[in-house]
Amino acid sequence: MHVHFIAPDRYVRASHEIVRHPRLRATAKSLLLWALSLPPGSRETVLTIGHRMAEGRMAVSRARNQLIDEGYLHVRRRQHPTKGTWTTDVMVTSVPLRTTEEITAAWEGAAANDRTAAAADTPASPARRIPALGRSKGRRVGTSPDSKTAENTPPPGGACGPEARLLLELARHDPRLRLSTAEAAALAPLAADWLARDARPHRLLHTLLAGLPDPVLAPQALLRSRLQRTMPAAPPTAAPAPRGLPPDLPPARVDAAAAERNRIGAGHARELLRGARIPRPAPAL
């Protein structure tokens, strides 16, 4: 077989080990090559890639698990030492990594490349770079057009309400909860109702992020269900204030004779309490 190959200006290199892998299915190879072709600083995830692949979500989910089993895809969760927030890191590699030492070295190399590229503001050396999904800062091979990058960029702060922006922030804590602007806007009324009953945004974030399934196939449906199921109870309504007397009531009439009888009766009652005898009135003639 003769092969005539002209490398285009924008392409991703794949080893023969990937192309001829005897166990990787075609969907897994496509997902792996797609991930390796991501531009620097891409906010893509395996799920967002899967939504754009023709094979369907279930096939992409199986391909993701196969890449994990074969050592090409690695996922870890870590907690910020001071803020306490959790972050999920995903790394895809061009070679399979199986031992703990290899995986740890790859994570450290990716972090070192990120720090070096950020400090120098220059692309990292391709020979030393570990191609990490969504974390590479210097890889130029396979850079996407500006239009694709603009699609993944969140809208400015004034383009949506505070509840929608809070929902869009979920992806920073867990990429599996990435929402589009339209999806966040559709969930914003539920989030606003939640915050109206419990005005503590950190409680809402904890409720939406805790105990997520793996994988999250439908982030919007999952968040809608959680918002509805964990909606705080409505605050009790205050009792209506007592109303005053109508201003058109006639003035009260005072009975002088009744007032005198009440005064005499009260005096007799006090005398009885003191143990004194009360003279009986003389019989009427």
Side-chain angles (χ1 to χ4, degrees):
M1 177 186 296
H2 297 282
V3 178
H4 176 69
F5 176 75
I6 300 176
D9 293 336
R10 295 170 50 248
Y11 67 97
V12 59
R13 293 179 180 272
S15 66
H16 293 172
E17 185 178 8
I18 295 176
V19 177
R20 304 171 186 172
H21 200 291
R23 292 182 302 276
L24 283 181
R25 298 185 180 92
T27 304
K29 294 179 181 179
S30 299
L31 180 61
L32 177 59
L33 294 177
W34 192 316
L36 291 174
S37 69
L38 289 176
S42 172
R43 300 181 65 184
E44 291 273 15
T45 66
V46 174
L47 292 179
T48 59
I49 295 174
H51 291 162
R52 297 162 61 185
M53 295 178 64
E55 287 81 352
R57 292 186 300 180
M58 295 303 297
V60 172
S61 178
R62 289 193 295 268
R64 174 184 180 274
N65 294 335
Q66 189 178 22
L67 291 177
I68 293 176
D69 294 339
E70 295 295 336
Y72 288 98
L73 187 64
H74 307 273
V75 182
R76 70 175 181 181
R77 283 180 59 79
R78 54 190 176 89
Q79 189 176 22
H80 195 280
T82 57
K83 297 180 180 179
T85 56
W86 286 91
T87 303
T88 300
D89 295 330
V90 180
M91 178 175 64
V92 61
T93 60
S94 58
V95 294
L97 305 178
R98 301 193 178 279
T99 66
T100 304
E101 292 76 11
E102 290 177 339
I103 298 173
T104 302
W107 282 118
E108 293 176 354
N113 287 334
D114 289 349
R115 290 192 298 267
T116 302
D121 197 21
T122 56
S125 172
R128 301 181 56 188
R129 181 177 57 255
I130 302 296
L133 176 58
R135 292 182 58 84
S136 175
K137 298 296 185 181
R139 177 162 51 85
R140 294 299 182 185
V141 177
T143 301
S144 295
D146 294 340
S147 59
K148 296 297 182 182
T149 305
E151 291 177 1
N152 300 324
T153 304
C160 55
E163 295 82 9
R165 290 198 298 272
L166 180 65
L167 295 172
L168 291 174
E169 286 291 326
L170 290 172
R172 294 191 177 183
H173 301 279
D174 196 319
R176 294 176 294 175
L177 296 182
R178 188 175 306 281
L179 299 173
S180 67
T181 307
E183 291 173 336
L187 294 176
L190 272 176
D193 193 8
W194 205 103
L195 292 173
R197 302 179 180 210
D198 187 347
R200 290 176 288 184
H202 68 279
R203 289 286 301 274
L204 176 58
L205 289 176
H206 176 76
T207 300
L208 298 179
L209 290 168
L212 292 175
D214 190 16
V216 178
L217 299 180
Q220 184 185 20
L222 173 66
L223 293 176
R224 183 185 300 277
S225 175
R226 289 201 167 191
L227 285 169
Q228 292 172 343
R229 288 188 294 104
T230 64
M231 184 72 66
T237 56
R243 298 180 179 179
L245 296 176
D248 54 349
L249 285 180
R253 297 177 58 185
V254 179
D255 189 342
E260 181 62 20
R261 288 194 298 270
N262 290 339
R263 188 186 64 79
I264 295 174
H268 290 173
R270 286 193 297 272
E271 294 294 336
L272 287 174
L273 292 175
R274 294 171 184 169
R277 296 184 58 186
I278 302 175
R280 296 183 178 216
L285 298 178

